[in-house]
Structures are given as structure tokens and as C-alpha cells.
Amino acid sequence: MTKKQIITMIAGLLMPLVTMGAEQVPLLQNVQAYESMSLNGDWNYIVDVQEEGYYDYRMNPTHWGFFLNAKPQRPEDLIEYDFDKSPTMKIPSDWNTQDEQLFFYEGTVWFKRSFQAMPMDDCRTLLYFGAVNYDCHVWVNGKRAGHHVGGFTPFNFDVSDLLKEGENTVIVKVDNKRHAEDVPTQIFDWWNYGGITRDVMLVKVTPVYLEDYSLQLLRSNLQGSGSKYREISFSARLNKKESGHQVCVYIPELKLEQQLTTDAEGTVRATLKVSSKKLTLWSPENPKLYDVRLSLDTSTYADQIGFRTIETRDKEILLNGQPIFLKGICMHEEKPNGGGRANSTDDARTLLSWAKELGCNFVRLAHYPHNEYMVREAERMGILVWSEIPVYWTIAWTNPKTLENAKQQLTDMIARDHNRANIIIWSIANETPHSKERDAFLGSLAQYARTLDNTRLISMAMEVTGASNYVNRLNDNMNQYVDVVSFNQYVGWYRDVNDAPKMRWEIPYNKPVIISEFGGGARYGYHGAKNLRWTEEFQENLYIENLAMLDKIDGLAGTTPWILKDFRSPRRVLPGIQDYYNRKGLFSDKGEKKRAFYVLKKWYETK
Ligand code: GCU
């Protein structure tokens, strides 16, 4: 054995995969409520196409990788990387719009950030990431903190035992290469923005903290209208299975307060009664949020929560017991102007105000969980939300790891947002091909979703891709698992141009129907005859014809046309028209309104 091999072997024995003292812990509910130090800002980065910083030349994980942030100690020392001399980019962001050379880049990029810390005995520190696309490994001071897969959900590691007084370093290896077994899989019609795309922070928690809690208005009270009281269910879970801890929930405006003591599982549960007269329900017209104060022993946490109920009755969707028509639009999580991942309240407010201008009370956040700013801003603005995990097109249905991955993303999506009143639909998939393997995969996902949250509606975007004699039939085994049957159809664009007026629809399920996508492309400012593709007039006419067709669909409870704004896609390469943008937006990539915008706005005024 060479000297280098002996050293590698010894090092291997010394450095286990995940260093003791660092672990991924369940997602912290309502992270904003905690004292935290933001690690947003300038991070050094190294583009590592061949993962030199992670594997040795035999493709074995090396113990001398970039995660050590090593510096030459003696003149002859050989260190072939240096974060501090490497360029920086702003985090959170995607690397594609931060560095021109990385516009199309898919691969590994390393990030380093130094920070000052003062570890304290009476508290723990969680390192929290809002999202990292796609596969990321994290080290603190050269020690492994953990690994996460999935580009659109938050995760946190307890790094308390890795911190030291003074200067600390966090290093993140991010790889956004696509693989068949991933979720999403190898092909998808959006830009594969790579990087640390959402907030990073160090969160201070007490050794025992409130890991999760839920406040939900129960459905039952709606029977027998005029009932004097409503019931709100409250439950909470500590990070430790410890009994005897005091948990208090307090809603000052409703003068509701409840003291509880944790059981041996470290949980509490209660039903709070409130007079109906006093309670203002959350709705698009009146997005009422209540200040809620929670405490655990001596620690206190604040949140803002709205109360509403959502359910179906035959082909109707009932919000607070009343039928509602969902006037929606699909959105990708892209900045309002140009490209790049949206990741702030300002981004959200601009995009959502465009949806409001359209007359929307609902948005489908496609095809993955969007950042928390988007969801909370929509809640403040009175916009209902469809939230989805990226089980998109042809996933590796028979791969157990893929199912586990999809379930984890579903768990994290629901864990982060289950207290948001405006989220009414969890979607588990988009445009997936029929097979028994697919049915088994999605069936188990749908059932799992119900175990995580039985207060909201479950759906998925099915598809109707063809008609015979102008009759379109939705026929999907998944209908039995969903509360709302939703499907995408592209009459007038991918098929049956100008035939919408002749179309009839057969949807043999006694459930509400949502048309989760329809639409067509247009280049803003390109004008011509209404049968000339890519003109605004073509798109306008397609909307006119499709909306008239939708008016004839029995059980239609809402729609989310594809899409609010032109968005980047590597699959859209038509020069002078697409230029790597999907042009089905009602707004251009610069926020300019196309003619079809006014057609949909007018139609929503009639709803
Ligand atoms: C599909 C898909 C979208 C895609 C759209 C399109 O239905 O769900 O992700 O962008 O069609 O073709 O434009």
C-alpha cells in the first residue's frame, strides 16, 4: 500500500460520514419566530465540474476535500483551491443568473461563508436552509453537518456541537445534475436553477423547543348554521419526548388562552371554543390573520394565523361552507423581471399583484413548493393557494428511493405550511403517464398526504390529451384518491386548433373540476392575424375560445391557466420567439401585458 493509501485509510477510520454532534432534525415550525442570525449575503464559490473537491482520482469520496477549507501551513504544502481568493455571489440566489458562465451550468458548485459565533450552553443552534437545488452536503468548520436532497423544501441541521467561539465556516457542496431517479426526474419544462436559492440562517433554540404546532378551525361546527360556537384544534410537539413542560396558546383578540402540560410523548392537544360572532373567518375578501402567542416554559413565539374551513360537496368547493369559484393562474417561482429564482416578499408581492390585477383569488404554485415569502404574502393578500411537489411527467415509479424522496418532499411541504389558511390544495403530481406502477406510487402518496393533513383537499394535475369526435373524456384511476379532479388540456395549442367551440367534456366523477392548465404562447409585441402562431392575437383568440368552452363544463369549480408570466425553459429554443423562454405567459418576461390578459380578466369579472 502506498503512503497516501495508508493515510487515506486511517483518515477514513477517523472521519465517519456524519460527525457526531451534527444531525438533520425535523423541520422547525415557523422559523421566523426564533432569534436567528442570517447568513445571507456574499458567499465565495468554486465551480467544480469534476467534483475534484469531493472525490479522489479513483472516484472514492476523499477526506481531503474542499470541505476542509485547508490553507497551506508550510511553504511546500500543496493546496489547489482557495475559497477566499475565489469569486463571490449573493446568497440566496441561483448561480445561473449570477454568473454568465453558469447560465446553462448543471453540476457541482461549492460555497463558503464565514461567520462569528458564540456557542452557549443553554441553547442549541440549528443551521436552516430555505431550499438548495438539488443535492447538497453541508460542513461546519470542516465537520460534516449533513446531506439533503430535493430543491424546493427547507431543512435544518443541529450544528451546536460543531460551532466554536469566534470565526466559523460553513461550506456547502451543491449539485443540480439531473438523474432518472430524482424528483423531478431528468426532463422538466422549467430552468434548472442551481444553488442556495433561499434564505440561510443560524437559529437559536432552547434545548427543548416547540418543534411543531398546529391551529386549525374544525369543519364540524358548520353543520347547523347559527351554532353559537366554533372549535379550533390546537396541537403541539416538542423536539424531545418529555412530559411536564408548560405550553400555552394565546389569541389576544379572541381572548382565547389555554395552558397545557406535555405528555410523555412531549405533545399537547386541545380544542378551543370561540363564539362564532367573535371569529372572523379568513377569506379572499377578508384575509383576516390573528396574532397568536405561543409559549413553552419561559420561551415565547409569535405567529399570524387565519381560520377557515375548506371542503367539497359533490361538485362544489366550499370555503367556510360557501361555494367558491377558483379564479386562478399558474405561476413559476421566477423573479418578476428577467429570470432567476424569486425569493423575497417584494418578488412575491409584485407577482401576486399581477395575479390580483387579473382578478384572481387563487394561484397554482407550479410545480414545486415555492418559497415561504410567496405563500405568506398570498395569505396576507387574500389569495388561495394550490401547492405541489415536483412529481412531474415520467418519474421512476418502481424505484423505492424515488418514492421515499417524493414522500419526504411532501412531508416537508406540509410541515412548513400546514398553518397557512390560504393553502387549500396539496397536489401530489403533474401530467403523469397511466400505468399500474404509477397508480401504486401516486396512490400511496395521496394516502400518505391524508395522514399528514386531513384538513385540506388533495389533488393532482391529470391530463386529457385527446378527443374523439370532439368528445373529451377524463378517465384516470387516480380519481378515487383525490378530492378535486384537476386536469391540463391544451385545446387550441397542442391540439384541435380553433375546435374549442365544438368540444364536449365527459368527466364521470361526482367531484369538483379544476382545469389546472390551458393556454398558448405569444411573443409580446408580435401582432398579426388570429390564426398566426405566436402572435398576441392567436393567444387572445385561444383564450376567448377556451373560456367559452370552459363555461360548458359541468362541475367546473375553477381554473388556473398556464401561465402568469413567460418563464425560462431549456426546452424552448425557437429563435426570435422563445429564446429559452416558455411564452405562454399573459405577461411577458418583463411584465408587459399581452392581449389575452384582458380576455381572462373580463371573464373573471363574470365569475
Ligand atoms: C405542461 C406542463 C407545464 C409546461 C406546459 C407547456 O402541461 O405541465 O410544465 O410548461 O405544459 O407545455 O407549456
Side-chain angles (χ1 to χ4, degrees), residues 188-190 330 332 364 366-367 388 392-393 430-431 461-463 488-490 493-494 516-521 562-563 567 569 571-572 578 582-584:
F188 42 88
D189 192 24
W190 66 82
C330 288
H332 263 297
R364 175 184 174 202
H367 291 289
E388 182 166 296
Y392 180 94
W393 289 348
N430 179 73
E431 292 190 352
M462 304 171 185
E463 51 186 340
N488 303 349
Q489 61 81 22
Y490 278 90
W493 185 255
Y494 290 125
S516 38
E517 286 181 36
F518 74 87
W562 192 258
I563 185 165
F567 63 95
S569 168
R571 303 171 62 78
R572 310 296 170 170
Q578 293 178 317
N582 181 313
R583 295 289 181 196
K584 296 192 180 71

Side-chain angles (χ1 to χ4, degrees), residues 120-164:
M120 288 180 285
D121 297 343
D122 63 345
C123 75
R124 307 289 297 173
T125 303
L126 305 187
L127 177 56
Y128 180 99
F129 293 86
V132 176
N133 191 46
Y134 176 81
D135 183 318
C136 93
H137 294 267
V138 180
W139 294 263
V140 171
N141 298 329
K143 299 215 172 52
R144 225 167 160 67
H147 176 224
H148 184 265
V149 164
F152 305 102
T153 45
F155 53 99
N156 40 223
F157 303 119
D158 183 335
V159 295
S160 316
D161 303 331
L162 304 185
L163 295 177
K164 57 188 162 89

Side-chain angles (χ1 to χ4, degrees), residues 512-526:
V513 174
I514 290 180
I515 306 291
S516 38
E517 286 181 36
F518 74 87
R523 169 100 183 155
Y524 174 76
Y526 179 36

Side-chain angles (χ1 to χ4, degrees), residues 534-547:
W534 302 112
T535 59
E536 288 193 41
E537 286 73 13
F538 187 105
Q539 187 191 42
E540 177 185 36
N541 185 55
L542 180 151
Y543 267 74
I544 292 169
E545 294 186 347
N546 262 267
L547 294 173

Side-chain angles (χ1 to χ4, degrees), residues 309-553:
T309 60
I310 187 75
E311 57 201 304
T312 63
R313 183 179 56 203
D314 302 329
K315 295 191 172 187
E316 290 177 320
I317 294 178
L318 307 180
L319 178 70
N320 298 330
Q322 302 305 319
I324 184 167
F325 185 85
L326 300 174
K327 303 184 276 187
I329 193 80
C330 288
M331 292 167 61
H332 263 297
E333 186 194 51
E334 234 183 37
K335 283 191 184 307
N337 293 307
R341 280 277 168 236
N343 52 27
S344 69
T345 296
D346 285 350
D347 292 338
R349 194 171 292 140
T350 304
L351 293 164
L352 294 168
S353 60
W354 291 355
K356 277 259 181 186
E357 249 185 285
L358 259 175
C360 293
N361 60 8
F362 179 54
V363 288
R364 175 184 174 202
L365 301 182
H367 291 289
Y368 38 78
H370 288 211
N371 64 73
E372 196 169 349
Y373 296 112
M374 187 77 85
V375 173
R376 284 196 180 248
E377 192 57 25
E379 188 181 42
R380 281 188 288 270
M381 291 170 76
I383 298 178
L384 294 156
V385 164
W386 158 308
S387 188
E388 182 166 296
I389 53 170
V391 174
Y392 180 94
W393 289 348
T394 310
I395 293 281
W397 309 114
T398 56
N399 183 330
K401 280 218 173 76
T402 303
L403 179 59
E404 221 30 64
N405 180 344
K407 279 189 170 170
Q408 188 58 51
Q409 296 193 37
L410 186 62
T411 306
D412 297 336
M413 171 172 78
I414 295 178
R416 188 194 75 186
D417 293 339
H418 65 80
N419 282 322
R420 303 282 70 78
N422 61 326
I423 297 194
I424 54 170
I425 297 177
W426 300 122
S427 166
I428 59 168
N430 179 73
E431 292 190 352
T432 49
H434 294 205
S435 73
K436 64 180 187 341
E437 293 78 11
R438 169 257 199 186
D439 290 357
F441 186 107
L442 294 181
S444 98
L445 262 188
Q447 283 160 335
Y448 181 60
R450 289 195 194 285
T451 64
L452 298 173
D453 179 9
N454 62 1
T455 70
R456 289 181 174 81
L457 309 178
I458 303 294
S459 191
M460 57 183 269
M462 304 171 185
E463 51 186 340
V464 177
T465 53
S468 60
N469 291 330
Y470 304 112
V471 178
N472 299 267
R473 281 189 193 81
L474 178 65
N475 174 12
D476 194 317
N477 295 340
M478 290 307 296
N479 78 82
Q480 58 188 300
Y481 293 102
V482 296
D483 300 298
V484 175
V485 281
S486 312
F487 60 89
N488 303 349
Q489 61 81 22
Y490 278 90
V491 170
W493 185 255
Y494 290 125
R495 64 178 177 107
D496 306 308
V497 175
N498 299 129
D499 284 345
K502 303 180 198 137
M503 290 297 181
R504 282 184 296 114
W505 292 83
E506 286 181 7
I507 304 157
Y509 312 119
N510 184 31
K511 294 185 176 179
V513 174
I514 290 180
I515 306 291
S516 38
E517 286 181 36
F518 74 87
R523 169 100 183 155
Y524 174 76
Y526 179 36
H527 293 285
K530 67 178 182 182
N531 65 348
L532 180 56
R533 284 245 183 206
W534 302 112
T535 59
E536 288 193 41
E537 286 73 13
F538 187 105
Q539 187 191 42
E540 177 185 36
N541 185 55
L542 180 151
Y543 267 74
I544 292 169
E545 294 186 347
N546 262 267
L547 294 173
M549 178 182 75
L550 261 61
D551 271 335
K552 290 184 277 177
I553 295 180

